[in-house]
Amino acid sequence: EAQVTQNPRYLITVTGKKLTVTCSQNMNHEYMSWYRQDPGLGLRQIYYSMNVEVTDKGDVPEGYKVSRKEKRNFPLILESPSPNQTSLYFCASSPTGGSRQPQHFGDGTRLSIL
Amino acid sequence: QKEVEQNSGPLSVPEGAIASLNCTYSDRVSQSFFWYRQYSGKSPELIMSIYSNGDKEDGRFTAQLNKASQYVSLLIRDSQPSDSATYLCAANRDDKIIFGKGTRLHILP
């Protein structure tokens, strides 16, 4: 089954404790991205990757890091999480054509930073 | 002007009627547009994509793109209670993707 898998689905943690949210897709998609969704602010793109070893900032990259060492994986790293990063996070992927193609979303990760 | 703008709603439509959702965009976005449906607590799922001026139909859904007026709309015919959700309009700006804040649609039984 074609899918984008995120882990964990839920996480409650404390300020300053480094965490990683994993994202994996099995569709051989080139484009992958991370979004956060907040009430009243909608979905905002954090980082995206056009292909292996190619990453770039979205509209809200502050406080986040990503890497793309393999085509299927695109982890999101919060090195020193803060309460303002409490949000619902989505990973998504799309084939060649990137931002001009529909995004396939994972099920989401709800992060709470205390 | 925000790059992709939607009325937040809620938009209430009687069951069986046509629901009309609108989205306007700025000059900064490119010409690929998407409509996603998102149920509460779930991930967005693609309803329609549209790239050319005019209408595109898929079942009960019709997407309309008007580049001169810079708007894209989604019509849902024969609205069903299961259509109650938030509808997100999205466009690409170079290699990035910009979402509107979404319109909540409520279908009244």
Side-chain angles (χ1 to χ4, degrees):
Chain A
E1 180 190 351
Q3 58 186 6
V4 178
T5 303
Q6 297 178 226
N7 279 297
R9 293 290 315 281
Y10 304 91
L11 179 62
I12 301 173
T13 188
V14 295
T15 299
K17 186 177 180 183
K18 180 178 179 179
L19 67 92
T20 299
V21 185
T22 64
C23 174
S24 180
Q25 50 91 8
N26 62 0
M27 296 169 279
N28 201 36
H29 282 172
E30 293 185 352
Y31 188 95
M32 296 186 74
S33 59
W34 277 102
Y35 301 86
R36 61 178 291 174
Q37 188 171 36
D38 302 288
L41 297 177
L43 263 174
R44 293 176 293 169
Q45 194 172 36
I46 302 170
Y47 268 96
Y48 64 95
S49 170
M50 299 290 287
N51 213 323
V52 176
E53 302 291 0
V54 181
T55 63
D56 212 340
K57 296 177 180 178
D59 284 337
V60 287
E62 295 78 20
Y64 304 95
K65 284 177 59 177
V66 293
S67 68
R68 187 94 181 271
K69 293 183 171 55
E70 304 165 284
K71 198 171 188 178
R72 61 183 294 126
N73 296 323
F74 190 46
L76 179 69
I77 302 157
L78 286 71
E79 295 221 325
S80 184
S82 62
N84 64 12
Q85 293 178 297
T86 293
S87 188
L88 177 58
Y89 291 85
F90 290 102
C91 179
S93 70
S94 63
T96 306
S99 63
R100 289 167 285 283
Q101 295 293 329
Q103 302 293 295
H104 300 255
F105 284 86
D107 287 338
T109 296
R110 191 168 290 280
L111 276 183
S112 294
I113 314 295
L114 305 178
Chain B
Q1 181 193 5
K2 294 191 173 107
E3 291 177 291
V4 178
E5 219 159 349
Q6 299 179 254
N7 189 320
S8 61
L11 175 66
S12 295
V13 173
E15 184 176 355
I18 295 175
S20 178
L21 301 156
N22 297 312
C23 173
T24 58
Y25 62 90
S26 74
D27 290 337
R28 293 191 64 195
V29 301
S30 297
Q31 301 299 308
S32 300
F33 299 93
F34 310 94
W35 283 101
Y36 293 86
R37 178 177 63 199
Q38 186 177 25
Y39 294 114
S40 181
K42 301 294 185 184
S43 59
E45 53 180 333
L46 181 74
I47 298 293
M48 297 279 282
S49 55
I50 187 164
Y51 304 95
S52 308
N53 228 14
D55 294 2
K56 180 181 177 183
E57 187 174 319
D58 184 2
R60 296 187 296 113
F61 300 96
T62 299
Q64 301 173 318
L65 175 59
N66 184 321
K67 294 181 182 178
S69 301
Q70 294 183 287
Y71 79 79
V72 56
S73 62
L74 179 70
L75 301 177
I76 307 174
R77 288 181 298 281
D78 188 23
S79 296
Q80 303 296 309
S82 59
D83 294 327
S84 296
T86 296
Y87 288 80
L88 306 174
C89 175
N92 73 305
R93 176 187 5 113
D94 302 321
D95 295 321
K96 297 180 183 178
I97 297 166
I98 311 299
F99 281 84
K101 294 181 181 179
T103 299
R104 283 182 295 138
L105 175 64
H106 182 47
I107 305 301
L108 304 169

